[in-house]
Amino acid sequence: MKAPNWKEIPPGGVIAKGGTAFQYATGDWRNSRPIHDLELCINCLRCWVYCPDASIKVKDGKVVGIDYDHCKGCGICSKECPTNPKAIKMFNETDFGESHPSEF
Amino acid sequence: MKLQELTEKPDLFTGGHRACAGCGFPILIRLVMSVVDTPVVVGAATGCLSVTTALYPYSSWRVPFIHNAFENAAATISGVEAAYCTFKRRGRLNTEIRFIAFGGDGGTYDIGLQSLSGTMERGHRILYICYDNGAYANTGIQRSSATPRGANTTTTPVGKKSYGKIRPRKNLTYIMADHGIPYVAQAAISHWRDLMTKTKKALETEGPSFINVMAPCRLSWGNNPQETVDLVEEAVNSCCWPLFEVENGKWRLNFKPKTKTPYHHWLRRQTRFRHLFHPTENEELIQDLQAEVDRNWEELLSRCQ
């Protein structure tokens, strides 16, 4: 986002539009990456419930993937996953090289 | 209430906020916002919530959001509600709008208590939700009146003569119940269905309502980020954070653990209580803390009969 000049800033620092934080990628904070396995997943949606960053992508009631732009890698999804073996596993971010999260 | 249906609703609280990985309150907000059916106006006290979710020019909220000072989240939202009622009475507004205020334990238990108490007494139709992490976590973990006894904070430091906070925590949910308002509840992020039901009930209540929710701060509690939800579940199972509601003066216990786990299991998992176990175990104090938890639990059970 381009920084506005002083004439463009609304009085009182009001943020005129909602949900603008979505443009801010917090995915580069992550040091461990969740990988979702479609075959093991039972779509209980516990990960969706407990994700603090709204990063579990759900379509038609099924988990379809993870939003790596915003996922901070806390690992709650993996910890709360009830299947055995777990449908979401955490991997070290360095295993994937140094590419930026938005490139996936 | 089916999760599948909830996932199809638009996210009113987006990702991209700057809360720490594994923070507890974004989970709470997502759960609350996912059951909201009418337009809402959200107010917030100063704290991690306002600092991380509404950082100019980024806002995580897809609903109107007002941040005011530390002490007056409840007063602000009650003013908005009063204006709404006037507009409605004069026929300038026909939409049903609900009002929710969020505050941390610092802004609710301590600094914002008078404005919260006033709002509840005046009977505005608002829902106040306190996310209780037991410290002023945003400013560097000072003690608050929600800090449990024995916790190490920067203003109750552990040393040769001190074991952390000496005073037990204040029970705000009881204080709010004593205001005689129609709906008061205590919930936890680990029990999502319970929390969603309570939120729904509170929003349907005609009059003020209050929900106190345990939501950990992993910096001050010192847990691993992935354990945030699990740790709250442990707290509920140890009965130090019971889930109950008070509906029109009637007390009801919502969850009774099958086996009550020892309180020290919960304490052991957090670095703020590390001094109770290392280098030597402070058995006397641990027993004392357990007795306190048991006493409060028994007292709650007697209220819920």
Side-chain angles (χ1 to χ4, degrees), chain A residues 27-101:
Chain A
D28 51 0
W29 297 13
R30 188 173 58 239
N31 55 22
S32 52
R33 184 184 300 183
I35 301 288
H36 174 246
D37 190 332
L38 273 173
E39 286 177 8
L40 293 171
C41 183
I42 55 168
N43 295 306
C44 66
L45 300 174
R46 267 180 87 85
C47 50
W48 179 83
V49 166
Y50 291 130
C51 178
D53 297 296
S55 296
I56 306 290
K57 289 185 191 161
V58 179
K59 206 179 170 191
D60 301 326
K62 289 190 165 61
V63 180
V64 291
I66 288 155
D67 173 6
Y68 291 115
D69 281 346
H70 298 101
C71 168
K72 293 171 190 155
C74 63
I76 292 178
C77 51
S78 174
K79 173 94 181 165
E80 294 301 318
C81 183
T83 62
N84 188 18
K86 287 188 183 296
I88 297 182
K89 291 190 195 75
M90 301 304 287
F91 294 89
N92 207 325
E93 195 65 30
T94 50
D95 297 347
F96 300 92
E98 287 189 1
S99 51
H100 191 267

Side-chain angles (χ1 to χ4, degrees), chain B residues 59-78:
Chain B
S59 165
S60 283
W61 299 87
R62 291 212 171 106
V63 294
F65 175 83
I66 314 166
H67 164 232
N68 208 336
F70 219 140
E71 62 276 20
N72 56 12
T76 307
I77 207 77
S78 72

Side-chain angles (χ1 to χ4, degrees), chain B residues 41-56:
Chain B
V41 176
V42 173
T46 301
C48 276
L49 189 152
S50 67
V51 188
T52 56
T53 65
L55 194 67
Y56 190 86

Side-chain angles (χ1 to χ4, degrees), chain B residues 92-113:
Chain B
R92 287 167 67 180
L93 250 179
N94 291 317
T95 357
E96 273 293 300
I97 303 176
R98 295 281 174 272
F99 302 89
I100 307 178
F102 288 99
D105 58 289
T108 310
Y109 279 70
D110 300 342
I111 304 177
L113 187 61

Side-chain angles (χ1 to χ4, degrees), chain B residues 43-222:
Chain B
T46 301
C48 276
L49 189 152
S50 67
V51 188
T52 56
T53 65
L55 194 67
Y56 190 86
Y58 299 106
S59 165
S60 283
W61 299 87
R62 291 212 171 106
V63 294
F65 175 83
I66 314 166
H67 164 232
N68 208 336
F70 219 140
E71 62 276 20
N72 56 12
T76 307
I77 207 77
S78 72
V80 180
E81 196 261 0
Y84 161 75
C85 287
T86 310
F87 278 168
K88 224 176 164 190
R89 198 173 59 239
R90 292 183 182 167
R92 287 167 67 180
L93 250 179
N94 291 317
T95 357
E96 273 293 300
I97 303 176
R98 295 281 174 272
F99 302 89
I100 307 178
F102 288 99
D105 58 289
T108 310
Y109 279 70
D110 300 342
I111 304 177
L113 187 61
Q114 54 85 12
S115 78
L116 174 64
S117 180
T119 302
M120 296 302 169
E121 188 269 328
R122 289 193 298 272
H124 296 279
R125 186 175 180 172
I126 63 139
L127 163 60
Y128 193 102
I129 297 178
C130 168
Y131 64 97
D132 181 347
N133 52 29
Y136 286 85
N138 187 39
T139 47
I141 313 155
Q142 288 83 17
R143 96 197 267 281
S144 78
S145 53
T147 309
R149 193 169 157 222
N152 181 17
T153 69
T154 47
T155 43
T156 55
V158 168
K160 275 181 196 152
K161 295 194 174 168
S162 159
Y163 59 80
K165 195 189 173 198
I166 300 162
R167 301 287 306 150
R169 63 183 296 146
K170 177 159 90 186
N171 200 328
L172 183 69
T173 321
Y174 285 14
I175 296 175
M176 296 323 292
D178 282 346
H179 278 67
I181 57 176
Y183 192 77
V184 175
Q186 188 159 291
I189 54 167
S190 56
H191 294 65
W192 60 268
R193 193 179 286 279
D194 177 72
L195 175 58
M196 282 182 182
T197 317
K198 282 173 177 166
T199 309
K200 249 196 145 98
K201 253 187 199 178
L203 288 172
E204 282 162 11
T205 304
E206 286 189 26
S209 45
F210 174 84
I211 306 180
N212 200 357
V213 186
M214 180 180 258
C217 162
R218 52 164 305 247
L219 276 183
S220 68
W221 291 28

